[in-house]
Amino acid sequence: ICICSVIMPKIIEGLNIEIINQNGKITNAKFTSHNITQLMYLIYCFIFFVVITDYLNQNKQERKNVINYMIIGAIIVSILGIYQELAYIYKWPFDIIFRSNINGNIQPYGSFVRIYSTTIEPSILAYYLVPMFALITSINDENIKYKYLFLALILLTGFGSTSSTFILGLIITTIILVINAFIQKDIDIKRRNKSILRKFTIVILIGAICLLIIYLINKNIVINIFQGLVQKITRSNLSGQERSSAFINHILVGFRFPLLGIGFGTVRSKDLLSTWICNIGILGTGIFIYYLIDLVKKLRKNKSTISYGTANFIIVVFICAFASVPEPYNLFIWLMLAMGESMVQLEETKENR
């Protein structure tokens, strides 16, 4: 569908359909080089997904290593994020050492800077860290040494980003853990989920302590976190108004062209849901969402907490994307999709024997 949709910009070019293009400018929809480059990015991600899935099927013992490497990566990024805040305060070098693009979206607020660590901006850092928070929280303590220390580092860095995406992800994670502790029919899985939920109270306490520490160091950071969240929800600031307007406009365009949209890569809205509905239509977006729901349902039937954590990672990362991040090309997403697909295929192979 994504490939077929690339012809749509040429078909609709004379209709004067107003959209936000890949450069963030409001313009009429038309065919550009972005239709090809964005499609190439997606094809690369899909090839990566297929190759990693096949590799994990052939090397089942590597699944745990993938989780370990993902956790190590998140901790390094979190530590560098904390260092970045200190570097801003004490005038130490950071960007020139730890970022490949030193012209990223730096957002200072006088007494502090929004943490972005090695990413291009704070919201992308939050988008990376919060599904990792969901993953680590959902895995048994025995499988992760220093689990609560890792979660504390992620919370400190995530709060320091002051991103509403991070707060949204924390809320989603909490809702998932509560619901899964009560709706499961399998007794063993239900018992496991309730155990993880009970231990999540420790995580809530850690989160509260992290917020208190940040407040004592610089109360403006905590004020900025919740003020920004409320303003976006109530659409009382420019960011919230822009997001709401972009979402409605692009959803309406997508409903006009439900089969193929107006062409993959044409639009870059403020969120993935309206971007895809507009670009590839309701049909293409619906097929992908159905695949995600089916994958998550199958993963949740597995008694492994790694499978449970992978399912929760996928839920959190895509709800956050559908709400506030317009691009799905980060390879950590496709790596975890490959993990999930590999585990599902393994279980189906066992059932067929």
Side-chain angles (χ1 to χ4, degrees), residues 190-220:
K190 192 171 185 177
R191 188 181 297 118
R192 176 204 68 187
N193 292 354
K194 283 189 174 181
S195 173
I196 291 172
L197 180 61
R198 282 195 296 271
K199 292 176 182 178
F200 187 64
T201 56
I202 300 173
V203 181
I204 294 173
L205 178 62
I206 292 170
I209 293 170
C210 289
L211 274 176
L212 178 61
I213 291 170
I214 294 171
Y215 183 84
L216 292 174
I217 294 172
N218 191 329
K219 65 180 182 180
N220 293 328

Side-chain angles (χ1 to χ4, degrees), residues 211-336:
L211 274 176
L212 178 61
I213 291 170
I214 294 171
Y215 183 84
L216 292 174
I217 294 172
N218 191 329
K219 65 180 182 180
N220 293 328
I221 299 176
V222 177
I223 293 170
N224 193 270
I225 292 172
F226 293 102
Q227 192 175 61
L229 181 65
V230 170
Q231 287 176 344
K232 282 189 178 180
I233 292 172
T234 59
R235 294 183 293 174
S236 58
N237 67 350
L238 183 61
S239 175
Q241 292 168 6
E242 287 179 347
R243 287 179 181 277
S244 176
S245 175
F247 180 83
I248 294 169
N249 289 342
H250 292 112
I251 287 287
L252 291 175
V253 173
F255 272 82
R256 285 179 63 187
F257 304 94
L259 295 182
L260 292 176
I262 63 171
F264 191 83
T266 303
V267 167
R268 188 182 189 275
S269 185
K270 305 295 183 180
D271 61 275
L272 186 60
L273 183 61
S274 64
T275 297
W276 273 10
I277 286 179
C278 189
N279 279 342
I280 59 176
I282 298 170
L283 179 62
T285 307
I287 290 172
F288 183 75
I289 292 175
Y290 175 82
Y291 167 75
L292 289 179
I293 293 171
D294 186 58
L295 179 63
V296 166
K297 284 172 62 178
K298 289 175 180 177
L299 284 169
R300 282 170 48 191
K301 291 178 182 177
N302 194 316
K303 294 182 180 180
S304 163
T305 57
I306 291 178
S307 179
Y308 181 53
T310 302
N312 291 345
F313 178 102
I314 292 169
I315 294 170
V316 171
V317 79
F318 277 103
I319 290 181
C320 287
F322 287 152
S324 60
V325 181
E327 293 179 344
Y329 307 126
N330 307 84
L331 290 183
F332 70 89
I333 301 172
W334 296 88
L335 177 60
M336 292 306 292

Side-chain angles (χ1 to χ4, degrees), residues 298 302 342-352:
K298 289 175 180 177
N302 194 316
S342 175
M343 285 187 281
V344 167
Q345 290 181 12
L346 176 64
E347 286 302 306
E348 288 176 347
T349 302
K350 287 180 180 178
E351 291 174 3
N352 293 331

Side-chain angles (χ1 to χ4, degrees), residues 110-125:
S111 58
F112 75 97
V113 65
R114 293 184 66 193
I115 294 177
Y116 47 78
S117 189
T118 56
T119 67
I120 195 153
E121 63 174 343
S123 62
I124 299 299
L125 173 66

